[in-house]
Structures are given as C-alpha cells and as structure tokens.
Amino acid sequence: MAINMSELKDMLRVTLATNRVPCILGEAGIGKSEIVKQFADENDMKFFLIEGGGLKDGELCGLPYVSNHGNSDRNTVFTKFYNVAKKEEDIEKVKKTFYSAVRKLKQMEEENSEKMIFVPYPVLKELEEYHKENPDKKILLFIDELNRAERQVYGELMNFIITRSINGYHLPDEVKLVAAGNPSSQFSEFANSTYQVNDLDNAQKDRFRWFFVKSDSEVWLDWATKKDDEGKSNINYLITDFIATFPQNLHVPDSQDDIYPTPRSWKFLSDTLDILTSKELNNSNFIFNIAQGDVGSGVGMQFTNFIFENKNPILKPKEIFDSNYTDGKEVDKTRVSKEVEERFINETAFRKQYILMNCVEYMKQFANKKTWDENMGMKYAKLFTEDKVEKDIMAAVMKKTMQNYRIVHERLTQKYSNGQLNIYTKVFIDTATELGLV
C-alpha cells in the first residue's frame, strides 16, 4: 500500500535507526529526491547524491592509475570514456581500450612492484573528504534511480549497498544509505507499470525495506508555500492557487497527453513564471505555450484558463487581515468583512485549509515581534470556528501550526492584553482535546 511523502519521513527515520536500507519506489517526478533531501536537512545530515541512471559501466568503481611510477610526469591517468567518445559504437571501442589498459596496468603492477590504485568516483571522493573534516557529522548517501541503471552498473550498485565498500573504499559508519527507483511491474502496487527497469530477485529484494510512495497535494502545498529568508515561496503562487483548487492536477500519470504534470514539472514551470515580464504574464497564449511544454496541453489549457478566466480567486492573507467588519455604523477591527467571511465560508474544504495555512505563514513574520497584533489574531480566530471550517480541516491546520509554526501557535493561544482567554484558545482546547492533539 502506498504512503504519502509526509509518512515517508517517519519511515525513513525508524528504518535508518536500525541500519536497514530503505528503498523508495514511486513515479518519476513526484519528489522522491526532494523529500529525502528535506529529511537529511531536518535531521542535520550532510546530503550526497548518486544518480544511478546516469552512471556508465566502470565509473562507480573508479578509474585506475599507477602510483609511485618513479617519474611523476609519466603517471598514467584515465579519463571517463564517455568524455572522449560520443557515438555508441565509439563508446564500445573505448570501453575495450579501457579494460585493456586495466589489464596492462595490472601487468605493470606485477612486473615492477608498482601499485595500481583507483581514482574514486567524484561523489565518493567528496564524501570521504567531507567525513575527514567532519568526523562526527551524520551523512546521508542517496542512490537514486537504482533500478534504471545499466545492468553492469546495477550490479556494482547492489554490491556497494550490500557490502558498503568498493575497490577498497569503505563507507564510514556515520553514513546512512537510502535508495530509490521507478515503479516495477514485479510489485503488485505497480502491476500496470510500463517503466523499463531492472527487476530484482528475492535475495536482492530482501536487502531493503520497501516503501511505495504517491504524490500528495496537501504535503506538496505545505512545502510549495513555504518562504525563504527573502520572502520567496518555493513555488509561484499562480501554481499553488491552481493546485489548491484542482489538487488532482498535481500528478496525472494516466493522462492521455504525451506530457503530463508531476511535482517536478510544476517546479520547472514555476521557475519560468518567476522570470517572466509583466507583459509576458499577461499574454494568455504565451503562458499556454510555456505551460503545455511542462504539464501537457490539457492541464496547460486548464491552468491558463484558471489564470485569465477564473472568477473566484483564492483569498490572500493580506486581503483577509486588511478587511474590517462594519454594520454601517461602527467598524470592528477584530473581525473580517462580511464579503471576505462569505467568500471563505463558500470555499471548498481543501481551499480553506490552503487559505488558513497561508494565513499562518503570513502571521509568522509578525509573531517574533514584541508587539503582536491582537486584531490579526482575533480575525483569524473568528474564521477558525466549527460553523465555518470542517473539523478534519481544523485538526490538520492545528497540527501543522503546532509542529511547524510554534511561535504563531503560542501567539494565537496567549491571553489578550485585557486578560481574557481568546477565541482561538477556546476552539483549540475543545477541538485538540477531542482529537487527541494534546
């Protein structure tokens, strides 16, 4: 049974704690690499990546040369064969030359008592140097596209994973291994998969703890809307607004189009949207031509129409907090306007969650200040009630706020300056206790 990306982090934690090697299988582009890197960052581990699908035969083992040759000018060093040959038939010729050279070096080693050593694969060399400088630092080595590697490379990778060594190089104990691959029809979870991958025998499968993962719009949006120190979100707001409205379009592997959307392709599109001029952003034909190249013509057209024809834009935090309720006589700065409240109530449950988390992210920038805007907190609290938000959405938002925005949670639950318990605290106590969050 497939798990989502949020659950995967917990599974990685307990699996690595027992020195097992987790292997993650999932569709291309759903964010396997990104979630593993996030896990490494969150657990203070240095991240290194080996792209199994891009390795050539012999590359992982390292390239041979003879040391202590007497004359340093005559030392023999071999370059990667795919740098000197482009055509497939030329590569095969250079491969033969490569292996002939290895045999010759071995002969020289035997005849002249010289030592043949290997130039390690660059990632492993970098890892080794990093470990020497940081002997106590934890390291995560991620081997991606394991089952997409060439057959010979696949064998080398499997041996490396099992023995944790290659050509005399041994991985330090501080290194944890994680592998990933694309779906294989040998697993019932991916019975209809059409990926061309290497199958594993039962002995090889037993070497891993397997996790089948699926894309998850909610988890992805949490990551996509997070802002860096400069206030820039991971994903352009036009895309996150679209996915919040149509979460099924995050990943459509069964699309009839030749190109279909994945979390990775949305990231590519986002990077492009971020550099467009205002003139280009206002040109619907231009946007469609860009979008269809990343997410396909069907979803590309839907995305374009959403931008230019959507009559129900998602509420933005500033729009919410800048609005004030009025009865025609007095203005209440602790409550949003009737228009904003009605728009929020009429949103779908998924979009409500997205809006509320955007508000939490927005409040974060003010939560660290000495002067907390109580009016802002009260406006949020009055939206966050059972008559306006579904209980499962309330629970999800509360949990995420407590886990990822602790300072905002503390501000929302603190007493008002007049000593009264605020509305959010009352809702939180009732709902959190009922749902077992506290």
Side-chain angles (χ1 to χ4, degrees):
M1 182 176 177
I3 61 176
N4 65 39
M5 293 297 188
S6 180
E7 294 169 325
L8 177 60
K9 288 183 180 180
D10 289 333
M11 297 300 101
L12 290 177
R13 177 177 53 79
V14 297
T15 300
L16 294 178
T18 56
N19 293 319
R20 291 290 304 279
V21 179
C23 189
I24 309 162
L25 290 191
E27 295 279 349
I30 65 171
K32 299 187 293 292
S33 301
E34 179 61 35
I35 207 73
V36 174
K37 188 175 187 310
Q38 285 180 34
F39 173 84
D41 292 342
E42 291 168 6
N43 289 274
D44 195 28
M45 304 174 79
K46 179 67 175 178
F47 179 82
F48 290 92
L49 169 66
I50 292 178
E51 291 277 7
L55 288 175
K56 297 298 181 182
D57 189 10
E59 185 177 4
L60 182 68
C61 292
L63 303 175
Y65 73 94
V66 173
S67 66
N68 300 322
H69 201 284
N71 183 345
S72 60
D73 293 333
R74 296 173 57 200
N75 281 355
T76 305
V77 179
F78 289 89
T79 58
K80 297 175 181 178
F81 57 76
Y82 52 83
N83 282 341
V84 296
K86 301 299 181 184
K87 296 180 180 178
E88 189 64 34
E89 58 268 27
D90 291 336
I91 289 177
E92 291 304 317
K93 290 178 183 177
V94 178
K95 275 186 179 181
K96 292 178 181 178
T97 304
F98 174 83
Y99 293 122
S100 296
V102 173
R103 287 194 293 272
K104 181 63 176 176
L105 285 170
K106 287 182 177 178
Q107 181 183 346
M108 292 169 61
E109 181 180 19
E110 294 170 356
E111 293 176 355
N112 302 312
S113 299
E114 293 165 329
K115 184 180 180 182
M116 184 179 73
I117 62 176
F118 285 79
V119 179
Y121 179 60
V123 173
L124 296 181
K125 183 175 178 60
E126 184 182 351
L127 186 155
E128 182 180 25
E129 292 174 349
Y130 176 83
H131 179 256
K132 285 180 181 178
E133 296 175 1
N134 306 274
D136 298 323
K137 181 81 171 182
K138 295 179 181 177
I139 297 171
L140 192 152
L141 178 57
F142 180 47
I143 302 175
D144 198 10
E145 294 194 323
L146 171 65
N147 59 357
R148 297 274 285 179
E150 293 181 2
R151 194 66 197 177
Q152 278 295 116
V153 175
Y154 172 69
E156 293 173 359
L157 285 170
M158 284 299 301
N159 184 62
F160 177 57
I161 291 169
I162 294 169
T163 65
R164 293 177 60 88
S165 65
I166 192 163
N167 277 340
Y169 172 74
H170 297 270
L171 284 176
D173 293 339
E174 289 75 18
V175 177
K176 301 292 186 180
L177 290 171
V178 177
N182 291 135
S184 169
S185 57
Q186 74 175 133
F187 295 97
S188 59
E189 186 73 28
F190 306 108
N192 298 318
S193 172
T194 58
Y195 283 85
Q196 299 298 312
V197 297
N198 295 307
D199 284 340
L200 292 81
D201 59 35
N202 289 333
Q204 290 172 325
K205 283 196 289 186
D206 193 48
R207 296 291 182 175
F208 300 99
R209 175 173 288 167
W210 295 89
F211 298 107
F212 307 136
V213 294
K214 59 185 178 182
S215 59
D216 185 288
S217 302
E218 181 182 332
V219 173
W220 185 81
L221 280 171
D222 283 344
W223 166 80
T225 53
K226 276 192 169 58
K227 292 180 171 61
D228 59 22
D229 294 337
E230 297 178 356
K232 184 179 182 297
S233 300
N234 287 322
I235 298 292
N236 186 282
Y237 78 94
L238 293 172
I239 293 175
T240 54
D241 283 3
F242 176 72
I243 298 300
T245 307
F246 304 104
Q248 70 276 12
N249 283 334
L250 175 64
H251 184 220
V252 192
D254 55 354
S255 170
Q256 298 303 308
D257 289 343
D258 293 330
I259 300 170
Y260 60 85
T262 68
R264 181 190 296 155
S265 65
W266 284 116
K267 171 60 176 170
F268 292 154
L269 179 57
S270 173
D271 291 342
T272 302
L273 293 176
D274 285 345
I275 66 168
L276 297 184
T277 64
S278 58
K279 181 179 179 180
E280 291 166 339
L281 283 169
N282 287 309
N283 184 330
S284 60
N285 190 56
F286 188 91
I287 294 296
F288 171 69
N289 288 336
I290 292 292
Q292 71 169 338
D294 283 324
V295 298
S297 58
V299 174
M301 179 60 73
Q302 192 177 354
F303 174 68
T304 305
N305 289 339
F306 174 82
I307 295 175
F308 292 95
E309 299 178 17
N310 180 38
K311 304 302 181 184
N312 183 29
I314 285 182
L315 279 165
K316 297 291 187 286
K318 196 171 189 314
E319 189 177 2
I320 291 172
F321 295 126
D322 283 353
S323 72
N324 295 307
Y325 179 85
T326 179
D327 59 3
K329 297 179 181 179
E330 296 183 355
V331 176
D332 184 355
K333 293 185 178 181
T334 69
R335 180 179 172 185
V336 300
S337 67
K338 288 181 180 178
E339 178 190 358
V340 168
E341 188 175 275
E342 288 175 3
R343 282 178 59 189
F344 179 77
I345 291 172
N346 291 325
E347 290 284 10
T348 64
F350 197 90
R351 279 175 49 129
K352 282 180 184 175
Q353 180 171 332
Y354 176 70
I355 292 168
L356 290 169
M357 289 311 303
N358 277 348
C359 286
V360 172
E361 175 72 37
Y362 181 82
M363 288 187 285
K364 179 183 175 183
Q365 63 184 308
F366 304 102
N368 287 312
K369 295 184 177 180
K370 292 182 179 179
T371 304
W372 164 250
D373 187 348
E374 289 187 350
N375 290 341
M376 180 186 292
M378 285 189 275
K379 284 177 180 176
Y380 179 83
K382 289 175 181 178
L383 279 183
F384 199 83
T385 55
E386 286 188 43
D387 60 325
K388 300 183 183 72
V389 183
E390 293 79 353
K391 183 153 286 190
D392 60 330
I393 299 301
M394 293 178 73
V397 172
M398 280 182 178
K399 186 175 182 180
K400 291 177 183 177
T401 304
M402 291 171 63
Q403 292 177 341
N404 304 322
Y405 300 89
R406 192 71 194 181
I407 183 64
V408 177
H409 172 74
E410 290 173 358
R411 290 295 195 184
L412 288 171
T413 53
Q414 71 184 23
K415 289 185 178 181
Y416 295 139
S417 54
N418 61 11
Q420 293 180 342
L421 197 65
N422 67 40
I423 297 172
Y424 181 87
T425 301
K426 294 175 182 176
V427 173
F428 173 79
I429 292 173
D430 293 342
T431 306
T433 301
E434 179 182 339
L435 297 173
L437 296 179
V438 292

